[in-house]
Amino acid sequence: MLELTPRKLRLLDYYDDGEDARHFSFAIESPWVSDLQTIAGQFFMLALPGFGEAPFTYVSRPDSQGHFNALIRRTGALSNALFELSAGAVLGYRGPFGKGWPLFFSTHQVLVVAGGCGLAPLAGLLDEAASLQLPVHLRVIYGARRQATQVLGRERERWKQAMDFIETFDLAVAGQPQGSPLTHLAPLFAKQMPDAVLCCGPQALMQATADSCVSLGIPANKIWLSMERRMHCGVGLCGHCYIGASYACVDGPVYRYDRLQALQVLSCEHAPAG
Ligand SMILES: Cc1cc2nc3c(=O)[nH]c(=O)nc-3n(C[C@H](O)[C@H](O)[C@H](O)COP(=O)(O)OP(=O)(O)OC[C@H]3O[C@@H](n4cnc5c(N)ncnc54)[C@H](O)[C@@H]3O)c2cc1C
Ligand code: FES
């Protein structure tokens, strides 16, 4: 059954987490079994009375109390209104929707490449790997313009204790690597070829990462990207989120790279940037 009517969601708490970004804690009233089965990388629709709905990803998946977290940037009308609310406010919720990151059932060397707020959809997966719930060895390259634009400060401190976590900056930051995440790919591949690559960030970064990984020997069917499109219904009805012949709200937002190539959205023919 298509979930079109928002359910009640309560804003529990929030704190600033990066420039113009906030970490929100929410509680779904009377969570459903499907909420507990959320996969990292899936998304939900957040409704604010008078401002409509917008899609956001889970930083942590709903627990048995319906509690979960999200990292939300202040970009337009809905997020501005959200930033004005106080704890206790009642909002609307639909989800979980779409396809999340692949599930790994055997030991895998996984490379994660994230840019800016693109770290948020990967957070659930990183937490599961850090707490040894997943049979994966993760290495992360996280690129940001500068320190102030980095997000998920508390989570990053935790992840750095549990995995190789490289931070890079477009602008010079004392004592930190400078440059695009792409500059780290070849050296990391030389140490250990990953079995799979997961990437989320600006589309230019994802395309260049995917193309570079292919040229370094990773098959396109071992690369996954999370694609952002405008979404209205979230359930494959309105047609706003099309990517080639697919709807990102249902067939994505996480796509395997070879499938995106088949949809003629991204292609290996683009020269790697960086
Ligand atoms: C699957 C998915 C997951 C997302 N997860 C998150 C998340 O975890 N955190 C977060 O902060 N944001 C996330 N977003 C983006 C978020 O949904 C948009 O920024 C949303 O439009 C904010 O609503 P608004 O009313 O505040 O801004 P709007 O007024 O809708 O938009 C502000 C500006 O952003 C542009 N814009 C809006 N949506 C998109 C889009 N999809 N692609 C390109 N440009 C767009 C608009 O043209 C406008 O210039 C996600 C989007 C998708 C599709
Ligand atoms: S958002 Fe309506 S079809 Fe995808």
Side-chain angles (χ1 to χ4, degrees):
M1 194 181 67
L2 293 180
E3 191 191 340
L4 294 171
T5 310
R7 294 182 273 149
K8 259 193 190 172
L9 183 78
R10 194 169 294 278
L11 170 56
L12 294 180
D13 203 359
Y14 58 81
Y15 57 86
D16 291 336
D17 190 357
E19 198 170 74
D20 280 329
R22 225 171 238 184
H23 197 123
F24 289 92
S25 302
F26 297 111
I28 308 164
E29 192 176 275
S30 310
W32 295 349
V33 172
S34 56
D35 296 316
L36 309 184
Q37 294 167 340
T38 303
I39 293 169
Q42 285 189 294
F43 70 95
F44 63 97
M45 299 298 292
L46 179 69
L48 253 82
F51 295 93
E53 290 182 296
F56 299 100
T57 41
Y58 304 87
V59 162
S60 68
R61 301 184 293 159
D63 64 15
S64 55
Q65 310 289 306
H67 293 187
F68 71 92
N69 299 322
L71 189 282
I72 298 183
R73 275 168 303 155
R74 188 196 275 272
T75 51
L78 185 142
S79 50
N80 271 319
L82 175 66
F83 275 51
E84 298 304 316
L85 296 179
S86 307
V90 176
L91 312 166
Y93 168 91
R94 295 188 293 128
F97 292 139
K99 295 206 167 53
W101 299 108
L103 301 172
F104 297 102
F105 296 110
S106 58
T107 306
H108 272 75
Q109 298 284 337
V110 178
L111 176 66
V112 167
V113 182
C117 288
L119 191 59
L122 288 151
L125 188 97
L126 298 188
D127 266 335
E128 283 165 31
S131 59
L132 305 178
Q133 292 169 38
L134 290 180
V136 293
H137 177 258
L138 277 193
R139 291 180 295 173
V140 183
I141 313 174
Y142 176 44
R145 264 173 290 140
R146 50 200 162 78
Q147 253 167 334
T149 63
Q150 289 185 305
V151 297
L152 299 179
R154 297 182 189 179
E155 286 80 0
R156 278 186 288 113
E157 287 315 307
R158 203 166 60 233
W159 296 332
K160 282 178 203 169
Q161 308 302 317
M163 60 190 76
D164 297 332
F165 198 104
I166 299 172
E167 297 180 349
T168 68
F169 298 94
D170 294 351
L171 306 174
V173 173
Q176 297 284 356
Q178 189 184 355
S180 150
L182 299 179
T183 55
H184 294 274
L185 291 178
L188 281 181
F189 279 43
K191 277 192 206 159
Q192 168 84 58
M193 278 296 276
D195 302 312
V197 177
L198 315 182
C199 183
C200 185
Q203 182 151 330
L205 170 70
M206 293 197 289
Q207 184 166 312
T209 298
D211 289 347
S212 297
C213 289
V214 168
S215 65
L216 288 165
I218 306 290
N221 65 2
K222 299 293 179 197
I223 300 168
W224 283 264
L225 311 177
S226 181
M227 305 292 288
E228 199 173 305
R229 287 292 182 274
R230 286 176 176 283
M231 290 182 185
H232 284 199
C233 69
V235 291
L237 285 180
C238 72
H240 273 92
C241 64
Y242 67 89
I243 293 186
S246 88
Y247 288 151
C249 65
V250 177
D251 303 319
V254 175
Y255 285 87
R256 232 172 55 190
Y257 186 44
D258 59 327
R259 298 210 173 118
L260 283 173
Q261 290 174 308
L263 291 167
Q264 299 186 326
V265 180
L266 298 177
S267 129
C268 277
E269 288 160 18
H270 293 91

